[in-house]
Amino acid sequence: MAERQSGSVQASNGKAASAGTAYNIDLNSFSMRLKNFYSHWNEHKSDLWGYVDVIAIATPPPSEDLRYLKSSALSTWLLGYEFPETIMVFMKKQLHFLCSQKKASLLEVLKTSAKEAVGVDVVIHVKVKTDDGSTQMDAIFRAIQAQSTPTIGHLAKEAPEGKLLDTWSEKLKNSGIELRDITYWSSDLFSIKDSVELTNVKKAAFLTASVMKNVVVPNLENVIDEEKKVTHSSLMDDTEKAIVDPTKAKVRLRAENVDICYPPIFQSGGKFDLRPSASSNDDYLHYDPPSVIICAIGSRYNSYCSNLARTFLIDANAQQSKAYGVLLKAHEAAASALRPGNKISDVYQAALSVVEKDAPDLVTKLTKSAGTGIGLEFRESGLTINAKNDRILKQGMVFNVSLGFQNLQSPEDKPKNQEFSLLLADTIVIGEKPEVVTSLSSKAVKDIAYSFNEEGDDNEEDGRPKVKADTHGLETLSKTTLRSDNQEISKEELRRQHQAELARQKNEETARRLAGGGSGSGDNRAASRTSTDLIAYKNVNEVPPPRDCMIQIDQKNEAILLPIYGSMVPFHVATVRTVTSQQDTNRTCYIRIIFNVPGTAFNPHDANTLKFQGSIYLKEVSFRSKDPRHISEVVQGIKTLRRQVVARESERAERATLVTQEKLQLAGNKFKPIKLFDLWIRPVFGGRGRKMPGSLEAHVNGFRYSTSRPDERVDVMYGNIKHAFFQPVENEMITLVHFHLHNHIMVGTKKTKDVQFYVEVMDVVQTLGGGKRSAYDPDEIEEEQRERDRKNKVNMDFQSFVNRVNDLWGQPQFSGLDLEFDQPLRELGFHGVPYKSSAFIVPTSSCLVELIENPFLVITLAEIEIVNLERVGLGQKNFDLTIVFKDFKRDVLRIDSIPSTSLDGIKEWLNTTDIKYYESRLNLNWRQILKTITDDPQSFIDDGGWEFLNMEASDSDSEQSEESDQGYEPSDVQSESESLSGSDSESLVESEDDEDDDEEDDEEEEEGKTWEELEREASNADREKGGESDSEEERNRRKTKTAFGKGRAPPPVRRASASSSAKRPLPSSRPFSGSSSIKRPKNR
C-alpha cells in the first residue's frame, strides 16, 4: 500500500515533521515500540527468532493488490507508515535503513530517539533513482560481517519484488552468511495492542458495523422489497464504495485513512464458501423463500483491520431457524470465553460444546476454526482459534471470531434452496471482559430474519412481501390481506409454531433468572415515605395563647390546635391523615379528624415509632359545632396547609433520590451547538406567570433547554438517555422530540423520566360560528395552504435537527451509548386506554409508546417478559392487553379497551418482535400471581412456567365439559351467592374497576371509619344487647321504606353484581355521643 498521511494529531511535544511534507512520525510511539522490539528479540531469541544476530526486513514497492506482508506490517507498526522499497537491518548496536532521499529525510528524526530508547545508532543509506543500491548494500554487509559469526534472519516466504529487492536478495544468498527464516515472530510481537492500536481497531470496527447497518441492510431490503435482479458483484461494488467513502455510512472518518480488508462477500442461491478467500460471483441475489444470504465485510483504519459477517434468513424453514439459533448461541459462547488467562483452544471448545449439546448432528458441519487474531494482518499467524492452539489469551489481544455451518441440506424442491450455509463473525477486543466492537450491527433473530407472504400457489408470479423489515430491523406489516382461507390457516399455523418455540425459550430464560435470584419477592407497591422528625413547637412557650375554646390553625408553625378537655393541644399538620365535615338535619355541624397511627395498614413503623415505643397514639377526634361557616373554614384551612406540607416533603424526598448527573460541557468555538427554536416543554415548569417557549441545544455531552427566564433550564445528558423519539405531525396537532431517561431528573419541581419538546403545528381551537363556509372559499383555501406550509416547515426543521444529532451520536465516542432517534410506526398503531383516557398507541423498533397524551407511555420491548391478551374470544368489542415485565417487582401494565379489530395486527406484531403472548377470557390478578411465583419459583418452573396461561392447552382436554364454561358469566346474570361471596373470596380473577375503587377508597379514607362503619358498630352493639333480632331481609326492607318514604312504593329491586359499590344513605342517629369523642387504640 502506498504511503498515507497519519491520522494522528500533530503536537509540539514528541512529534517531528519534515520540511516540505505533510507526513510526520510519532517519536514517542517509535521509541516505545522499538524498545518492545528489541526486548522481544532478546527474550524470545531461541524460540521465535532462531538465534539470529541480525534481522533484515525488506518492504516491496507499492501495489494496487490487497496483500498482507509481515515486512509492511513491521514498517507500519514501528514507523506509523508503510515505507515501500525500504530495507531495514536491525543489529545489536546499529539500525540501518536503505531508501530513497525523500524517505531518508523523514527518517533523520529517529536518530536521537533510537539512541535514547535502546542505545542503537541509526545509519541511513540513500539510494538515488538511477542506482540499484549495490554500493549501499555492500556497506551494510561490511557492518554485519564486523560481528563474529553473524546469523541473519529474514522473511524467506516473501518473494522479492522490484529491482532493489531482487539485488538485495541476490546479495543475501551470495554473502556466505547463514540465513534463517523468522516468519513466525509477528504472531507474538503484534498480538498485544497498545491504546493507539486499539483505537484504530475500534474505529475500523465502527466503520464496518456502520456500513453493514446503514448501507448493506437497507440495500438488501430494497432489493427484496422491490424484487429487483441484482448480482452479488454489484452489491460488492456498492459496499466497497461505502467503505472507502465513510460519509455514505454516516461515519465521520477521513477517507485517506480507510481501506477495505478484502472485497465484500455476498453469497446466496446454494453456492456458499465460508473461507476468508471467498469472493462474490456474478450470479443474481437469490431471495425466493426459504433462502439464506451471507454477507461479510471488512475495513481498515490506519492499516488496522476489522471484520464482520452476518447471515440473513428469508422466510426460513424450521431447520434453518434451528441451525441459526444454535450457531448464534455457539458464537456468543465463544465470544464469552475470550478472557485473559484462558487458552485459545478453550474458545473453540466453548462453541463446540454448545453444538454438541443442542444439535449433535451439526458437529461435522461446524467450521474447523472459530477465527484468528486480527490487527495489522487480517489473519495473525499463531493465533488461530481451533482445538489444538494452547496459547494463553492476554489483555489487549484482538480476535476475529468467525463461526459457521457449511453445506447444510434443506428439504426443499427448488435446487437453489436445497443447500445452505450459515456464518457469523465479529471483531472482539479482550479486556477485563470481552468487548464486541462490531456490536452496532445486530445478529439477533428479529433483526436478520424476514418473513414473506406468498400470495397464491407456487406458479403465481406475484408474491409480494407480507412482512418487510425497516432499517432498524423491526418487521412492519403490510396492509394487504390474504386471498384464500388456506393461506390464512397457514399463516396462523406458522405463528402458532413460532409462539410455541418462544414459550420454550421464555420458560428456560425465566427459570435461569429465577434460579439466579434475578427477581425479588414481595408485592410491587411503593414503599411508604418515612416520616422525619416533625416538630411544631420546641417548647410550651412557643404555643400561641388560646383565643377561644375552638380549633385554631397556625400557618407559620404548620400546626393545628385542638381544644381537648379545656386545653389547646397542638398537632403537626403532617400527622393528620384526613379531615371531613358533615351537617345533620338540625344544622349541627360535625368535624372529624383522623390521624396517622403507626402500625396500621399504609402506615408501617418508622424511625419515630421505634424511638417512642410503648406510646399511646390518638387515632381520631370529632367535634360538634353550631357554626357551619367556621367548620368549613377550618376544614379548608387544614386541607390547604396539609397539601402544602405534603408537596414540600414529596419534592424534598424526590430530590434526595435523584442520581447525580455529569456536568454539561458547552460547545466551544470548534463545535457549534445544534439548535431548535420556539419549543414548548412537557412537563411544564412550575410557578406563576405566562408560559414561555424556549430553545433546545445539542452540546458536547448533552442537551440544554432554556427559556428567557434564568430559572427555567433543563439539562439532559446523552448518557442518561435510554430512548429518543422523533414524531412528525400526521393526525396530531404537534411535532415532537421525546427523551425517555435511565434516571429521573427534575423539571422545575417535578421529578420525571420523560422529557418532551414540541411545537404546535395547527391551532387546536378553531373559531365556530357564522354561516357555513364554502369549500371553494378563497380564504379557506389560503388558510389550509398556510397550515400545510407551516406543517412542512416544522417537520423539515425537526428532521434536520434529528439528522444532525444522529450524525453526532454516530461518532466513535458515543458508540457505547447506542443512541439513535426512533420514529413511531403509525401503521402498526392501535387505540387503547393505558391510564385514564383513550390514546393511540404505536410501536417503534424497540418500544411501545404513546407520546401525545399525558402521562406518556414508553415501554421497552427488551424488558417485557410476556404479554397476556385478556377478555378475548367472547364476542366482545374490546379486549385488554397486559404486559408482564421481566422485573417481577414491577407492577404489570394493562392497556384497556382495545378494539377487537386490532387483535390480529397486535398478534402479528408481537410474533414478529419475538414476544410471547397468551390469551385469556378474564382479567387476572397479576399481583397475586407474581407473588406466588416469587415466593416459590421452583414450583412455578416445575409446573411448566408460563404455560398455565395457555388457554388452548388447558381447553383441549375439557372442551366438551361444563367446567370450561364456568370461567365467565355476565354480571347481570350472576347468582346472589356469587354476588355476595365474590368480594370475599381470594382468586386470581378480579374486576379492574373493583381494584381501582378499592385503591381510591384506601387512599382517601386510609383506614378511617366511615359513617356506615360507625352505624354498623352501633347496630352490632344493639344486637348484642338483644335490641335487634330481625333478619337481614327485614332490616333491608325497613331501610328501603325509610329511604323512599311511606307514601310511595320503592323502585323494583335489581340484583347487583359483586362489583357494585352503591352507597347507603347516611345514618340519621348517633354518630357521636358527646361534644368530643376520642378513640384510643390499644397500647402499641
Side-chain angles (χ1 to χ4, degrees), residues 531-535 608 611:
S531 62
T532 56
D533 292 335
L534 300 174
I535 299 176
N608 282 327
K611 243 191 283 184

Side-chain angles (χ1 to χ4, degrees), residues 683-740:
V684 298
F685 292 108
R688 299 181 178 178
R690 186 173 62 89
K691 301 296 183 288
M692 303 183 66
S695 60
L696 181 65
E697 301 177 350
H699 291 275
V700 176
N701 64 336
F703 294 100
R704 167 165 287 180
Y705 175 82
S706 58
T707 68
S708 58
R709 295 192 179 106
D711 58 333
E712 293 185 350
R713 188 173 70 185
V714 175
D715 293 339
V716 180
M717 300 297 109
Y718 298 150
N720 193 28
I721 297 176
K722 188 175 183 180
H723 301 291
F725 305 101
F726 162 55
Q727 182 167 312
V729 62
E730 290 190 24
N731 296 333
E732 295 85 10
M733 299 294 182
I734 62 175
T735 298
L736 61 89
V737 290
H738 186 101
F739 300 114
H740 182 66

